[in-house]
Amino acid sequence: MVSESQQQLYKKLNIIVKELPWYVEEYFDHKRRKLSAASLLNYCHDFKIFFNWIVSEQLYNGSIKEIPLEFLESLTVQQVEGFLQALTYEMKNKEITVNRKLSALKSLFNYLQNIAETRDLKPYLQRNVMAKIEFNELKESMETIANKMEGKILLGDEYEKFRRFIASDYGELVKENKKLSNFHKLNLERDTAIVSLILGSGLRLSEVVNLDLDDIDFSKFSARVIRKGNKEQYVYFSKIAMDDLQEYLKIRAVRYEVDKSNKALFVAAAMGPKGKSRRLTARSIEKLIEKYAVAFGKPSLSVHKLRHSFATRYHSEINDVPKLRRQLGHSSIQTTMIYTHIRNDDLRSAVDKMDIPKD
């Protein structure tokens, strides 16, 4: 079943796709079963940037919708490298972002060469220039990335301190500001439950947003989520997260005046005299985390950093990378391996012992 937020993403996708060449829409029809709505929309934006660049550089005279397959077949390696340089130096994209956009283009061109067929069973493209383009070699090692991440996530007793800060301490901090104080009193159970759930499960932002009431299994401490690639999975969460969720659910229906037809787990208060409560958006969750993070004294915290915080804690206590990979929903174990480089106390201890004088 497609959630309300996914339906909105598909609507946006369908609007943008109409601006792109016909074969891109065909590509998306092929990928709908394999990629989430969010991933498809990101691909769509990447393709639009690429085709707009082609027209802006006057490599093709016409609208982006009219760019034919024959033009793609005639693209040179130098022209594609020029686009990648524009992404880096003109559009100020980081190397990892350039790699992601290149990956999207490689996927499209691979479809056109190796999957799509004409009526006489010939591939759409005989020549695939993207197959000749290499990804940027990322300069940072896992250790470097992990070290940078370490100062921006919650470690040790900071997990519980941040949770308690949202549940009570923030209210003390803003009690002289009536507007902020009342807003916090309205939402403190909900906000505590959201943060507690992410810190107790490692769920992605989109997964938290899309949760419905029926997705929570209170007997098994698990949540049903749709992961990347539209894969259904039950993800476990902590007892503290369960306790905070139940406290929130006690007040959810009455305080937010939730219509019985609204099955969203996390909701926002109605706006205006005739407004209805609605599913909390991804941006709203990002903003509430930013608000608490700044007040807590750790402004670098974000929803994604809370996910990193969970993963770091899980690895330090469980030390089982395959299980952590499943919990986080990573497609590649290499992505999960980064957490093995954070707070490596054994390595630090070994290095420290090198300074101890030998008898």
Side-chain angles (χ1 to χ4, degrees), residues 238-305:
S238 67
K239 184 181 183 304
I240 292 177
M242 173 65 82
D243 292 342
D244 289 336
L245 265 178
Q246 289 178 325
E247 287 301 309
Y248 160 65
L249 290 174
K250 288 178 184 177
I251 58 89
R252 172 186 173 276
V254 175
R255 189 178 299 174
Y256 293 96
E257 301 177 4
V258 183
D259 189 281
K260 289 184 178 180
S261 63
N262 186 346
K263 300 300 182 183
L265 177 60
F266 294 115
V267 294
M271 295 180 68
K274 295 183 179 180
K276 292 183 178 181
S277 58
R278 62 206 184 283
R279 185 184 296 272
L280 199 62
T281 65
R283 183 59 192 137
S284 294
I285 294 179
E286 287 176 329
K287 287 173 70 176
L288 74 87
I289 298 299
E290 289 169 6
K291 175 185 71 175
Y292 291 125
V294 170
F296 185 68
K298 204 148 186 172
S300 60
L301 271 181
S302 63
V303 179
H304 205 58
K305 294 297 188 304

Side-chain angles (χ1 to χ4, degrees), residues 50-275:
F50 175 64
F51 288 118
N52 274 331
W53 179 84
I54 287 172
V55 172
S56 68
E57 291 294 305
Q58 298 182 339
L59 299 179
Y60 177 79
N61 294 319
S63 70
I64 63 174
K65 188 175 179 63
E66 298 169 344
I67 296 176
L69 288 166
E70 293 77 18
F71 174 81
L72 299 187
E73 206 164 39
S74 69
L75 275 171
T76 67
V77 170
Q78 290 79 10
Q79 287 170 331
V80 176
E81 292 288 359
F83 170 66
L84 299 180
Q85 289 178 21
L87 286 176
T88 303
Y89 299 109
E90 296 174 23
M91 304 179 206
K92 307 299 181 184
N93 286 282
K94 295 181 180 179
E95 288 181 333
I96 192 169
T97 305
V98 174
N99 278 355
R100 182 181 62 77
K101 293 183 185 301
L102 177 57
S103 177
L105 288 170
K106 280 179 173 286
S107 178
L108 172 63
F109 275 64
N110 179 67
Y111 167 78
L112 297 175
Q113 182 186 41
N114 297 313
I115 299 174
E117 295 177 331
T118 62
R119 290 183 178 180
D120 54 355
L121 304 182
K122 292 183 179 179
Y124 282 3
L125 293 184
Q126 296 287 343
R127 176 179 170 275
N128 178 359
V129 67
M130 293 298 169
K132 302 180 180 183
I133 308 297
E134 296 181 355
F135 289 106
N136 285 326
E137 185 175 341
L138 300 181
K139 298 173 184 177
E140 293 183 326
S141 65
M142 283 190 181
E143 289 86 353
T144 302
I145 296 172
N147 287 336
K148 285 184 177 181
M149 188 190 301
E150 186 173 330
K152 299 177 181 178
I153 62 176
L154 298 173
L155 296 168
D157 61 359
E158 287 181 326
Y159 293 87
E160 182 58 17
K161 282 183 177 179
F162 188 57
R163 177 188 160 276
R164 286 182 179 273
F165 179 77
I166 297 169
S168 60
D169 296 349
Y170 179 81
E172 282 295 310
L173 196 66
V174 300
K175 64 182 180 181
E176 301 302 325
N177 186 319
K178 190 174 181 180
K179 183 178 179 181
L180 291 180
S181 180
N182 288 340
F183 194 74
H184 179 250
K185 288 176 183 177
L186 172 68
N187 296 309
L188 69 90
E189 289 91 352
R190 182 199 66 187
D191 296 354
T192 303
I194 289 171
V195 169
S196 194
L197 181 60
I198 300 172
L199 284 176
S201 66
L203 288 177
R204 294 181 176 92
L205 173 60
S206 61
E207 293 164 353
V208 174
V209 169
N210 291 326
L211 281 174
D212 288 335
L213 293 170
D214 296 341
D215 291 328
I216 305 298
D217 188 328
F218 291 93
S219 64
K220 296 182 179 179
F221 289 59
S222 66
R224 172 187 171 274
V225 298
I226 304 300
R227 313 225 84 152
K228 288 186 174 181
N230 283 328
K231 296 176 183 176
E232 180 181 290
Q233 184 182 331
Y234 284 85
V235 179
Y236 294 103
F237 52 86
S238 67
K239 184 181 183 304
I240 292 177
M242 173 65 82
D243 292 342
D244 289 336
L245 265 178
Q246 289 178 325
E247 287 301 309
Y248 160 65
L249 290 174
K250 288 178 184 177
I251 58 89
R252 172 186 173 276
V254 175
R255 189 178 299 174
Y256 293 96
E257 301 177 4
V258 183
D259 189 281
K260 289 184 178 180
S261 63
N262 186 346
K263 300 300 182 183
L265 177 60
F266 294 115
V267 294
M271 295 180 68
K274 295 183 179 180

